Amino acid sequence: MRPGFTIALSLRLLTSSLAIVIPLYAISLGATPSEAGVVVVLLWLGNAVGAAAATLAVRDQSVSSVGGFIILGASTLVLGLRAPYAPLSLGVLVAGVGMGLPQPLLSAIMHMHSAPERPFTGLGVYSTALGIGLVLGPLVAYGVHALYGFSGVFEALAIVSAAGVASAWGGREGIRGRPKPPVPSIAAWARALGRPAFRRAFMVNLLYSLLLPVFLSYGGVYAEERFGLSSGEALLLFTLVFLASVAIRYASIGATVDPGRVLLVSAGFLTASTMCITLAPSWPVFVAGMLLFSVPHAMVFPVANFLAFRSVETPDIINTSYAFQASSGGAEVLSPLLAVALIPTAGLQGVFAVGVVVAGTAFVLAARGRDGAPGS
């Protein structure tokens, strides 16, 4: 659990910082919101490539984690040094590959280490580590940016990547000698998707994952453009949102509340959040909408992931993890692409308005299967 916690924390600190800072950095270089969106697409496209490589070729958590952090460190160092031979788009794409490599197996491995009497512990610890990383990500970026600008932020992330390499290398003994994870199986995916409980969890997570990149990468730009917040203030706001999120995640460890009900409530908060952000007449309402997002941010992914794992037999858990991660990875590539297409005609507010429909659909799906019973 401890190495997994550290890997998840370091990785999420890096990914949250990059997802928020990169579009703000692109805007500072003179890019339009649509052009900044193209750079964001490259980040998530690289993430998908890294995750696919970890699943199809590497299939070793230690190797993929060490490799991913090395790639992240090298790419962020190049971005920080502003090397003339490495344009922003290339650095971002490579950073995305580093982001994706450690991800596909980690949640399943931690889930399988949970005690039978406390089955949510592994995912609770995993999601808490993600939450702490999300708090530290914008907080570190905010502090370093105030002193050293964007270049300093990227150089600081290179240092965090080095710490990630050390933690991943130190945790390799914990999984040494274990059987190599299976190759992705279409038959196992079909068995999982044949279960209504898995399909509901998969779809709710897919819809939430369509909104997450928009929230992370455009929330700050939207705050600057519509309400006049500075880059530093936007980073501080994200820190508050993620601080609330990690507090909720920590409180969920060992909880015995009906997970189907938690998923429903979280989807309700997701809908309310997107409505507030879209319709906000002033910055206080916008900030309230951002803070409301802390609830679905804390609970949708870990609870949907838990319900997905619980809906299948133990031998299929790793392949279930592949399928479930695909719902996140696919959405994280598709969402920025759709945003780039929408922004020139609908603007950022129009993108968030579409998000209201997406969130409402997630709420309806969560309401249809509250019990989340295995195989239901």
Side-chain angles (χ1 to χ4, degrees):
M1 287 286 184
R2 282 193 298 272
F5 177 91
T6 306
I7 291 169
L9 189 157
S10 302
L11 183 64
R12 190 55 74 200
L13 189 158
L14 288 159
T15 57
S16 64
S17 298
L18 288 170
I20 296 167
V21 167
I22 281 172
L24 293 174
Y25 179 51
I27 293 291
S28 75
L29 296 177
T32 66
S34 181
E35 290 167 341
V38 173
V39 182
V40 173
V41 170
L42 292 175
L43 179 70
W44 294 112
L45 181 61
N47 181 76
V49 171
T55 302
L56 298 173
V58 182
R59 289 190 292 122
D60 184 308
Q61 183 63 51
S62 294
V63 173
S64 60
S65 294
V66 171
F69 283 120
I70 289 174
I71 292 171
L72 271 168
S75 59
T76 51
L77 183 61
V78 167
L79 289 171
L81 295 174
R82 298 181 180 176
Y85 50 85
L88 176 65
S89 57
L90 178 60
V92 170
L93 180 64
V94 174
V97 174
M99 281 169 44
L101 276 167
Q103 293 183 34
L105 300 173
L106 189 56
S107 63
I109 290 172
M110 294 185 72
H111 172 71
M112 293 171 73
H113 278 79
S114 299
E117 65 275 12
R118 300 179 70 185
F120 189 67
T121 301
L123 284 172
V125 171
Y126 173 74
S127 64
T128 300
L130 297 183
I132 295 172
L134 281 164
V135 171
L136 293 178
L139 185 60
V140 168
Y142 169 74
V144 176
H145 177 268
L147 296 173
Y148 303 107
F150 286 109
S151 180
V153 172
F154 289 122
E155 290 171 5
L157 295 182
I159 296 173
V160 174
S161 299
V165 171
S167 62
W169 182 260
R172 70 191 187 282
E173 292 296 331
I175 55 175
R176 186 187 296 275
R178 293 179 179 271
K180 201 166 188 177
V183 175
S185 165
I186 300 299
W189 290 18
R191 284 194 299 272
L193 288 166
R195 296 171 178 259
F198 178 85
R199 284 201 306 274
R200 283 192 293 268
F202 180 93
M203 287 304 302
V204 171
N205 183 68
L206 174 67
L207 294 169
Y208 163 74
S209 297
L210 285 170
L211 294 175
L212 182 60
V214 173
F215 175 83
L216 290 177
S217 296
Y218 291 106
V221 177
Y222 187 58
E224 285 186 345
E225 285 204 341
R226 188 170 178 195
F227 302 106
L229 274 67
S230 67
S231 295
E233 289 168 336
L235 288 168
L236 187 58
L237 176 57
F238 275 110
T239 299
L240 294 175
V241 173
F242 297 145
L243 187 61
S245 173
V246 73
I248 296 168
R249 290 185 182 196
Y250 180 76
S252 73
I253 297 177
T256 57
V257 181
D258 171 26
R261 189 179 297 274
V262 173
L263 192 64
L264 175 63
V265 171
S266 300
F269 271 90
L270 182 65
T271 305
S273 170
T274 51
M275 289 181 68
C276 282
I277 292 171
T278 303
L279 303 175
S282 59
W283 71 263
V285 180
F286 168 76
V287 169
M290 294 281 283
L291 291 172
L292 285 174
F293 192 83
S294 64
V295 177
H297 184 269
M299 300 311 299
V300 169
F301 174 79
V303 172
N305 204 352
F306 175 74
L307 290 172
F309 287 160
R310 200 176 73 168
S311 70
V312 300
E313 304 300 328
T314 300
D316 284 338
I317 283 181
I318 294 293
N319 261 293
T320 297
S321 179
Y322 294 155
F324 191 82
Q325 294 285 347
S327 73
S328 295
E332 288 164 354
V333 175
L334 179 62
S335 178
L337 281 170
L338 294 175
V340 167
L342 280 172
I343 287 172
T345 55
L348 288 176
Q349 188 174 16
V351 172
F352 281 104
V354 173
V356 175
V357 178
V358 174
T361 304
F363 178 77
V364 171
L365 288 173
R368 291 179 57 191
R370 273 179 23 186
D371 61 354
S376 66

